[in-house]
């Protein structure tokens, strides 16, 4: 097993309130672009050649990761003119693969943080003789995912992407976004048009009698598609709950990157990351949050489970919980912003403008 495809395209809009110019996989989680963790984990599992299938803001990947040699990888980049969907993106990079027709090729969704035993998925694939093998995980609410019921031997019996009705929720096993494809199955995906692997390829393979094998693995797993999940994933990396060889420094309660400045009496906890050049003032308390490069958190601010964009400024004594503050935004002093709030890039909120607690 030596090669893999990483899917890092699509519309990529869900973090947009935070970062207009940074595609999701490049936003730092635990101090390095999120994609670094996936690349490093694949390398640790023995993968040597990875093709990045990109579409949205593709031009930022290559300058950062180059030929991959700093990670011990051989990396290639393929950019779609128009997003081709997950299956179309896979088919579009087929000519870059070096594997023979019966060889296994790993494919990863680019927004997943997981402790998956990649080698075990490949072993399952080999031993079952499947055409495609899928990592499955169990979640409490499967509606945002692909549902994948299996029989007693783990063979996939159906694939139901984003179930719409209660009757369609037949299992809590979902597609975790990591597959092994027999190389020839990739070549059989139609070329030159958008294809959804979830809505077209998997159901089509099943109805033609192909063998899809599921491997349920309940290790750490998180789709980082929302800013809230992204913040949690970053904190879990820092604290060591989510395994990655690419986290800089030691695991612990906080990660303060070089050239960040944190006042001695500020308190950082819950896997908080303070990125390069950011400043945290006296008495500030930050829990389970990400403070991106160049941001300023003034004295006495109290922040939890929030994402503070690059160069954003959080005023003195302002309280943030579950907030996303866009790049360059300013939240003045003495504000209180709660769960789900999005402050757009470069927006300015005056001091004392918003509160949730009693009127005083
Ligand atoms: N290159 C390329 N081109 N990549 C794409 C495209 C495209 O047109 N569309 C999506 N992708 C990439 C995304 O960047 C992401 O890494 C991955 O494919 C999955 O797309 P998402 O948009 O994140 O899909 P989702 O999260 O709603 O659902 C998928 O992931 C779930 C697990 O998190 C599906 O695979 C579900 O079945 C699965 O349960
Ligand atoms: Mg996703």
């Amino acid at each position: 097993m030596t090669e893999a495809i990483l899917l890092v395209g699509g519309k990529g809009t869900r973090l947009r309130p935070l970062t207009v110019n940074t595609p999701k996989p490049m936003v730092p989680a635990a101090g390095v672009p999120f994609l670094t963790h996936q690349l490093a984990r694949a390398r640790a599992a023995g993968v040597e050649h990875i093709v990045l299938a990109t579409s949205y803001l593709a031009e930022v990947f290559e300058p950062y990761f180059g030929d991959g040699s700093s990670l011990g990888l051989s990396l290639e980049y393929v950019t779609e003119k128009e997003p081709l969907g997950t299956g179309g993106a896979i088919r579009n990079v087929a000519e870059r693969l070096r594997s023979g027709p019966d060889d296994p090729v790993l494919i990863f969704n680019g927004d997943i943080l997981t402790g998956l035993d990649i080698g075990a998925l490949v072993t399952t694939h080999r031993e079952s003789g499947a055409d495609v093998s899928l990592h499955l995980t169990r979640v409490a609410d499967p509606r945002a995912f692909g549902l994948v019921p299996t029989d007693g031997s783990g063979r996939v019996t159906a694939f139901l992407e984003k179930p719409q009705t209660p009757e369609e929720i037949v299992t809590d096993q979902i597609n975790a976004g990591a597959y092994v494809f027999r190389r020839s199955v990739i070549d059989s995906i139609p070329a030159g048009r958008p294809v959804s692997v979830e809505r077209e390829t998997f159901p089509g393979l099943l109805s033609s009698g192909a063998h899809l094998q599921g491997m349920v693995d309940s290790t750490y797993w998180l789709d980082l598609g929302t800013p809230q999940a992204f913040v949690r994933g970053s904190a879990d990396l820092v604290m060591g709950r989510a395994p990655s060889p690419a986290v800089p420094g030691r695991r612990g309660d906080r990660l303060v990157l070089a050239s960040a400045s944190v006042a001695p009496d500020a308190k950082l906890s819950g896997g908080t990351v303070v990125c390069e050049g950011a400043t945290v003032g006296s008495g500030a308390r930050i829990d389970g949050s990400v403070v991106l490069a160049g941001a300023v958190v003034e004295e006495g601010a109290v922040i939890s489970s929030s994402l503070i964009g690059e160069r954003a400024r959080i005023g003195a004594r302002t309280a943030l919980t579950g907030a996303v503050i866009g790049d360059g935004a300013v939240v003045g002093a003495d504000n209180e912003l709660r769960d789900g709030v999005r402050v757009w890039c470069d927006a300015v909120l005056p001091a004392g403008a918003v509160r949730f607690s009693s009127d005083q």
Side-chain angles (χ1 to χ4, degrees), residues 86-289:
T86 45
I90 295 167
R91 178 64 181 84
N92 192 49
V93 305
E95 65 190 32
R96 304 296 184 96
L97 298 173
R98 301 166 185 167
S99 303
D102 285 328
D103 290 340
V105 177
L106 279 157
I107 300 177
F108 300 107
N109 283 358
D111 57 351
I112 304 295
L113 181 60
T114 176
L116 168 69
D117 182 342
I118 295 169
L121 184 64
V122 176
T123 302
T124 296
H125 183 76
R126 284 193 202 283
E127 288 178 353
S128 65
D131 299 296
V132 177
S133 302
L134 301 86
H135 172 209
L136 309 180
T137 190
R138 293 200 167 88
V139 294
D141 181 0
R143 285 174 298 177
F145 302 105
L147 263 58
V148 190
T150 49
D151 69 12
S153 69
R155 187 164 175 155
V156 174
T157 55
F159 195 104
L160 302 152
E161 182 66 14
K162 312 267 182 338
Q164 300 295 315
T165 61
E167 296 75 53
E168 284 180 322
I169 303 179
V170 294
T171 175
D172 62 353
Q173 288 177 184
I174 61 140
N175 167 26
Y179 322 113
V180 182
F181 272 58
R182 185 202 306 272
R183 160 70 199 263
S184 57
V185 175
I186 294 175
D187 295 324
S188 74
I189 297 172
R193 67 164 172 87
V195 177
S196 162
V197 82
E198 298 89 350
R199 295 180 193 276
E200 183 176 338
T201 310
F202 291 146
L205 284 168
L206 285 170
S207 62
S208 70
H211 180 174
L212 273 60
Q213 185 71 20
M215 185 186 88
V216 182
D217 177 332
S218 48
T219 178
Y220 183 94
W221 186 88
L222 194 60
D223 177 321
L224 301 192
T226 65
Q228 237 50 63
F230 193 87
V231 169
R232 180 145 41 98
S234 177
D236 287 342
L237 282 162
V238 171
M239 292 188 293
R241 286 187 193 144
S244 164
V247 177
R250 296 183 20 220
R251 306 298 178 278
D253 242 11
R254 70 191 68 86
L255 174 64
V256 178
L257 294 177
S259 79
S261 155
V262 178
D265 64 345
K267 188 170 183 314
L268 308 178
S269 58
T272 287
V273 185
V274 182
C275 290
E276 293 87 351
T279 307
V280 178
S282 176
R285 283 181 284 144
I286 312 182
D287 181 61
S289 297

